Coordinates of all heavy atoms in Angstrom, one line a residue:
F1 N 0.9 -1.3 0.0 CA 0.0 0.0 0.0 C 0.8 1.3 0.0 O 0.5 2.3 -0.5 CB -0.9 0.0 1.2 CG -2.0 1.1 1.2 CD1 -3.1 0.9 0.6 CD2 -1.7 2.3 1.8 CE1 -4.1 2.0 0.6 CE2 -2.6 3.3 1.9 CZ -3.8 3.2 1.3
G2 N 2.1 1.1 0.7 CA 2.8 2.3 0.9 C 2.5 3.0 2.1 O 1.6 2.7 2.8
L3 N 3.2 4.2 2.4 CA 3.0 4.9 3.6 C 2.2 6.3 3.3 O 2.2 7.2 4.1 CB 4.3 5.1 4.4 CG 4.9 3.9 5.0 CD1 6.2 4.2 5.6 CD2 4.0 3.3 6.0
A4 N 1.8 6.4 2.1 CA 1.1 7.6 1.7 C -0.3 7.7 2.2 O -1.3 7.9 1.5 CB 1.1 7.8 0.2
F5 N -0.5 7.6 3.6 CA -1.9 7.6 4.1 C -2.3 9.2 4.3 O -1.3 10.0 4.5 CB -2.0 6.9 5.4 CG -1.7 5.5 5.4 CD1 -0.5 5.0 6.1 CD2 -2.5 4.6 4.8 CE1 -0.3 3.6 6.1 CE2 -2.3 3.2 4.8 CZ -1.1 2.8 5.4
S6 N -3.5 9.3 4.1 CA -4.0 10.8 4.5 C -4.1 10.8 6.0 O -3.9 9.9 6.7 CB -5.4 11.0 3.8 OG -6.2 10.2 4.5
A7 N -4.2 12.1 6.4 CA -4.2 12.3 7.8 C -5.5 11.6 8.5 O -5.3 11.0 9.6 CB -4.5 13.9 8.1
S8 N -6.6 11.5 7.8 CA -7.7 10.8 8.4 C -7.5 9.2 8.4 O -7.8 8.6 9.3 CB -9.0 11.0 7.5 OG -8.8 10.7 6.2
E9 N -6.8 8.7 7.4 CA -6.4 7.3 7.3 C -5.4 7.0 8.4 O -5.5 6.0 9.1 CB -5.9 7.0 5.9 CG -6.9 7.0 4.8 CD -6.3 6.8 3.5 OE1 -5.0 7.1 3.3 OE2 -7.0 6.3 2.6
W10 N -4.5 7.8 8.6 CA -3.5 7.7 9.8 C -4.3 7.5 11.1 O -4.0 6.8 11.9 CB -2.5 8.8 9.8 CG -1.2 8.5 9.0 CD1 -0.8 9.1 7.9 CD2 -0.2 7.4 9.2 NE1 0.4 8.7 7.4 CE2 0.7 7.5 8.1 CE3 -0.2 6.4 10.1 CZ2 1.8 6.7 7.9 CZ3 1.0 5.4 10.0 CH2 1.9 5.7 8.9
S11 N -5.2 8.5 11.2 CA -6.0 8.5 12.5 C -6.8 7.3 12.7 O -6.7 6.6 13.8 CB -6.9 9.7 12.4 OG -6.2 10.9 12.4
I12 N -7.5 6.8 11.7 CA -8.2 5.6 11.8 C -7.3 4.3 12.1 O -7.6 3.5 12.9 CB -9.0 5.3 10.3 CG1 -10.0 6.4 10.2 CG2 -9.5 3.9 10.3 CD1 -10.7 6.2 8.8
L13 N -6.2 4.3 11.4 CA -5.2 3.1 11.5 C -4.6 3.2 13.0 O -4.7 2.1 13.6 CB -4.1 3.2 10.5 CG -3.1 2.0 10.4 CD1 -3.9 0.8 10.2 CD2 -2.1 2.4 9.4
L14 N -4.2 4.2 13.5 CA -3.6 4.4 14.8 C -4.7 4.1 15.9 O -4.3 3.4 16.9 CB -2.8 5.6 15.0 CG -1.7 6.0 14.1 CD1 -1.1 7.4 14.3 CD2 -0.7 4.9 14.4
V15 N -5.8 4.6 15.8 CA -6.8 4.4 16.7 C -7.1 2.9 16.9 O -7.3 2.2 17.8 CB -8.1 5.1 16.5 CG1 -9.3 4.7 17.4 CG2 -7.8 6.7 16.8
G16 N -7.3 2.2 15.6 CA -7.7 0.8 15.6 C -6.6 0.0 16.2 O -7.0 -1.0 16.9
M17 N -5.3 0.3 15.9 CA -4.3 -0.5 16.5 C -4.1 -0.2 18.0 O -4.0 -1.2 18.8 CB -2.9 0.0 15.9 CG -2.7 -0.6 14.5 SD -1.0 -0.3 13.9 CE -0.7 1.4 14.0
A18 N -4.4 1.0 18.5 CA -4.3 1.2 19.9 C -5.4 0.5 20.7 O -5.2 -0.1 21.7 CB -4.5 2.7 20.2
V19 N -6.6 0.5 20.2 CA -7.7 -0.2 20.8 C -7.5 -1.7 20.7 O -7.7 -2.4 21.7 CB -9.0 0.1 20.1 CG1 -10.2 -0.7 20.5 CG2 -9.4 1.5 20.3
A20 N -7.0 -2.1 19.6 CA -6.8 -3.7 19.4 C -5.6 -4.1 20.5 O -5.8 -5.2 21.0 CB -6.2 -4.0 18.0
F21 N -4.7 -3.2 20.8 CA -3.7 -3.5 21.8 C -4.3 -3.6 23.2 O -4.2 -4.7 23.9 CB -2.7 -2.4 21.8 CG -1.6 -2.6 23.0 CD1 -0.6 -3.5 23.0 CD2 -1.9 -1.7 24.1 CE1 0.2 -3.5 24.1 CE2 -1.0 -1.8 25.2 CZ 0.0 -2.8 25.2
G22 N -5.1 -2.7 23.6 CA -5.7 -2.6 24.9 C -6.7 -3.9 25.1 O -6.6 -4.6 26.1
V23 N -7.5 -4.1 24.0 CA -8.5 -5.2 24.2 C -7.6 -6.5 24.1 O -8.1 -7.5 24.9 CB -9.5 -5.2 23.0 CG1 -10.3 -6.4 23.1 CG2 -10.3 -3.9 23.1
S24 N -6.7 -6.7 23.4 CA -5.9 -7.9 23.3 C -5.2 -8.3 24.6 O -5.3 -9.4 25.1 CB -4.8 -7.9 22.3 OG -5.3 -7.7 20.9
V25 N -4.8 -7.3 25.3 CA -4.1 -7.6 26.7 C -5.2 -8.2 27.6 O -4.9 -9.2 28.3 CB -3.6 -6.2 27.3 CG1 -3.3 -6.4 28.8 CG2 -2.4 -5.7 26.5
A26 N -6.4 -7.6 27.6 CA -7.4 -8.1 28.3 C -7.9 -9.5 28.1 O -8.1 -10.4 28.9 CB -8.7 -7.1 28.5
V27 N -8.0 -9.8 26.7 CA -8.5 -11.1 26.2 C -7.5 -12.2 26.5 O -7.8 -13.2 26.8 CB -8.9 -10.9 24.8 CG1 -9.1 -12.3 24.1 CG2 -10.1 -10.1 24.6
I28 N -6.2 -11.9 26.2 CA -5.1 -12.9 26.4 C -5.1 -13.3 27.9 O -5.0 -14.5 28.2 CB -3.8 -12.4 25.9 CG1 -3.8 -12.2 24.5 CG2 -2.6 -13.2 26.4 CD1 -2.5 -11.5 23.9
R29 N -5.2 -12.3 28.8 CA -5.2 -12.7 30.2 C -6.4 -13.5 30.6 O -6.4 -14.4 31.3 CB -5.2 -11.4 31.0 CG -3.9 -10.6 31.0 CD -4.0 -9.3 31.8 NE -2.7 -8.7 32.0 CZ -2.4 -7.5 32.4 NH1 -3.5 -6.7 32.6 NH2 -1.2 -7.0 32.6
F30 N -7.6 -13.2 30.1 CA -8.8 -14.0 30.3 C -8.6 -15.4 29.7 O -8.9 -16.3 30.4 CB -10.0 -13.3 29.6 CG -11.2 -14.3 29.4 CD1 -12.0 -14.5 30.4 CD2 -11.4 -14.8 28.1 CE1 -13.1 -15.5 30.2 CE2 -12.5 -15.7 27.9 CZ -13.3 -16.0 28.9
L31 N -8.2 -15.5 28.5 CA -8.1 -16.8 27.9 C -7.1 -17.7 28.7 O -7.4 -18.9 28.9 CB -7.6 -16.7 26.4 CG -7.6 -18.0 25.7 CD1 -8.9 -18.6 25.5 CD2 -7.0 -17.8 24.3
M32 N -6.0 -17.2 29.1 CA -5.0 -18.0 29.9 C -5.5 -18.6 31.2 O -5.2 -19.6 31.6 CB -3.8 -17.3 30.0 CG -3.0 -16.9 28.7 SD -2.7 -18.3 27.7 CE -1.5 -19.2 28.7
G33 N -6.4 -17.6 31.8 CA -7.0 -18.1 33.0 C -8.2 -19.0 32.8 O -8.3 -20.0 33.6
Y34 N -8.9 -18.9 31.7 CA -10.0 -19.7 31.4 C -9.7 -21.0 31.1 O -10.2 -22.0 31.5 CB -10.8 -19.0 30.2 CG -12.0 -19.8 29.8 CD1 -13.2 -19.6 30.4 CD2 -11.9 -20.8 28.8 CE1 -14.3 -20.4 30.0 CE2 -13.0 -21.5 28.3 CZ -14.3 -21.3 28.9 OH -15.3 -22.0 28.5
I35 N -8.7 -21.3 30.3 CA -8.3 -22.6 29.7 C -7.6 -23.5 30.8 O -7.4 -24.7 30.6 CB -7.5 -22.6 28.5 CG1 -6.1 -21.8 28.6 CG2 -8.2 -22.1 27.3 CD1 -5.2 -21.8 27.4
K36 N -7.2 -22.9 32.0 CA -6.6 -23.7 33.0 C -7.7 -24.6 33.7 O -7.4 -25.5 34.3 CB -6.0 -22.8 34.0 CG -4.7 -22.1 33.6 CD -4.2 -21.2 34.6 CE -2.8 -20.5 34.1 NZ -2.3 -19.5 35.1
K37 N -9.0 -24.0 33.5 CA -10.1 -24.8 34.2 C -11.1 -25.3 33.2 O -12.0 -26.1 33.6 CB -10.7 -23.9 35.3 CG -9.8 -23.5 36.3 CD -10.6 -22.6 37.3 CE -9.6 -22.1 38.5 NZ -10.3 -21.2 39.4
H38 N -11.0 -24.9 32.0 CA -12.1 -25.1 30.9 C -11.4 -25.6 29.7 O -10.3 -25.4 29.4 CB -13.0 -24.1 30.7 CG -13.6 -23.4 31.9 ND1 -13.0 -22.4 32.7 CD2 -14.8 -23.7 32.5 CE1 -13.8 -22.2 33.7 NE2 -14.9 -22.9 33.6
D39 N -12.3 -26.3 28.8 CA -11.8 -26.8 27.6 C -12.2 -25.7 26.5 O -12.8 -24.6 26.8 CB -12.3 -28.2 27.2 CG -13.9 -28.3 27.3 OD1 -14.5 -27.3 26.9 OD2 -14.3 -29.4 27.5
F40 N -12.1 -26.1 25.2 CA -12.3 -25.2 24.1 C -13.7 -25.4 23.5 O -14.1 -24.8 22.4 CB -11.2 -25.2 23.0 CG -9.9 -24.6 23.3 CD1 -8.9 -25.4 23.8 CD2 -9.8 -23.3 23.3 CE1 -7.6 -24.8 24.1 CE2 -8.6 -22.7 23.6 CZ -7.6 -23.5 24.0
K41 N -14.5 -26.2 24.1 CA -15.8 -26.6 23.5 C -16.8 -25.4 23.3 O -17.4 -25.3 22.2 CB -16.5 -27.6 24.3 CG -15.9 -29.0 24.3 CD -16.8 -30.0 25.0 CE -16.3 -31.5 24.8 NZ -17.2 -32.4 25.7
I42 N -16.7 -24.4 24.2 CA -17.6 -23.3 24.1 C -17.3 -22.5 22.8 O -18.2 -22.0 22.2 CB -17.5 -22.4 25.3 CG1 -18.6 -21.4 25.2 CG2 -16.1 -21.9 25.5 CD1 -18.7 -20.5 26.5

């Protein structure tokens, strides 16, 4: 694609990555705790 993003595209991309980071931290912690006592059937 290149790095020729517009200002709005940069904003969309950076916000999406930042939110994905924060949510991923919470989800990974949840999953590692969950699978210690449960299986993947759900």
Side-chain angles (χ1 to χ4, degrees):
F1 187 87
L3 295 175
F5 298 115
S6 66
S8 61
E9 288 174 338
W10 272 116
S11 299
I12 292 170
L13 189 58
L14 292 175
V15 167
M17 286 194 297
V19 173
F21 169 79
V23 174
S24 291
V25 169
V27 169
I28 291 171
R29 285 175 172 168
F30 160 76
L31 183 62
M32 295 307 294
Y34 178 87
I35 59 177
K36 289 178 180 178
K37 298 179 180 179
H38 305 84
D39 58 29
F40 285 103
K41 283 185 180 180
I42 188 172

